[in-house]
Amino acid sequence: MALKKINIFQIKIRWLISCLIFLLCSCNNNEAVKIANPSKQDSIQFEKNIELTKIEIAALKKLVESGDVITRTGNDFTSQSLKSLNKRDQTFSHAGIASIENDSVLVYHAIGGEYNPKQTIKRESFEIFATPYESNGIGIFRFDINKLSKSKLTIQAKEWYFAKVLFDLAFDLKSD
């Protein structure tokens, strides 16, 4: 796999286009602006919800097998924008490959932007990948394929991680 140099001009153009889309979407809203004034009780309830979500994430972790596709819905603007591009199912905005290594469930995934300044394939624990502070949901998908194919899939994800394959910020579908 050939690695491609990041074109700063393309990144700046993509950023400007994203800002323009955001502004256009924001300006079309005729509703009155509501000022949020969270109370201490709101903060306490938020943390309770986070703790309950962490318990659910721990239960889901027990179901994960190597080769599973782990998806999530980020709660940031980019994730919300990307998931809206899917014409069939707009549930998830991001995906990775699960790998059970020793006693850990790891997720190999490609992500760009401020979440990954190095712009290379990331390897994170399942808990970090699914953190409720940065995502609104998580899914586990399992292909009906044999163990050898699942093993090849996880080996490929690891190879890309160790090769430091770059995230394609230009979303160029004409190259690998």
Side-chain angles (χ1 to χ4, degrees), residues 7-157:
N7 184 334
I8 298 299
F9 179 73
Q10 288 176 329
I11 294 170
K12 289 179 181 179
I13 291 296
R14 195 178 112 218
W15 182 83
L16 287 171
I17 291 171
S18 297
C19 288
L20 180 61
I21 291 169
F22 175 74
L23 287 172
L24 289 174
C25 292
S26 300
C27 293
N28 289 334
N29 188 352
N30 293 329
E31 294 180 25
V33 175
K34 297 175 186 173
I35 297 178
N37 191 9
S39 66
K40 183 177 180 180
Q41 188 60 37
D42 292 332
S43 297
I44 292 170
Q45 187 59 49
F46 176 78
E47 285 304 321
K48 283 182 182 177
N49 290 344
I50 292 290
E51 291 308 312
L52 289 172
T53 303
K54 286 180 180 179
I55 292 168
E56 292 173 356
I57 289 169
L60 280 174
K61 178 182 171 182
K62 294 176 184 177
L63 303 174
V64 177
E65 295 178 7
S66 284
D68 286 351
V69 175
I70 310 298
T71 59
R72 72 174 180 213
T73 302
N75 58 16
D76 61 299
F77 174 74
T78 303
S79 294
Q80 297 304 312
S81 299
L82 286 174
K83 75 179 192 164
S84 70
L85 297 175
N86 192 324
K87 294 182 184 195
R88 284 193 308 181
D89 184 349
Q90 298 181 353
T91 307
F92 301 106
S93 61
H94 193 66
I97 303 297
S99 177
I100 310 297
E101 299 177 23
N102 299 318
D103 61 348
S104 299
V105 177
L106 302 174
V107 180
Y108 291 86
H109 62 107
I111 189 167
E114 68 273 8
Y115 293 106
N116 186 11
K118 292 180 182 177
Q119 307 296 319
T120 59
I121 300 289
K122 285 187 83 169
R123 176 176 66 181
E124 295 181 315
S125 69
F126 183 78
E127 294 85 355
I128 297 293
F129 183 83
T131 181
Y133 290 104
E134 295 177 7
S135 65
N136 294 331
I138 186 161
I140 302 171
F141 295 87
R142 185 167 297 138
F143 293 107
D144 187 18
I145 56 177
N146 61 42
K147 287 187 178 196
L148 179 61
S149 295
K150 287 181 184 184
S151 177
K152 287 180 180 179
L153 182 62
T154 56
I155 288 169
Q156 182 64 69

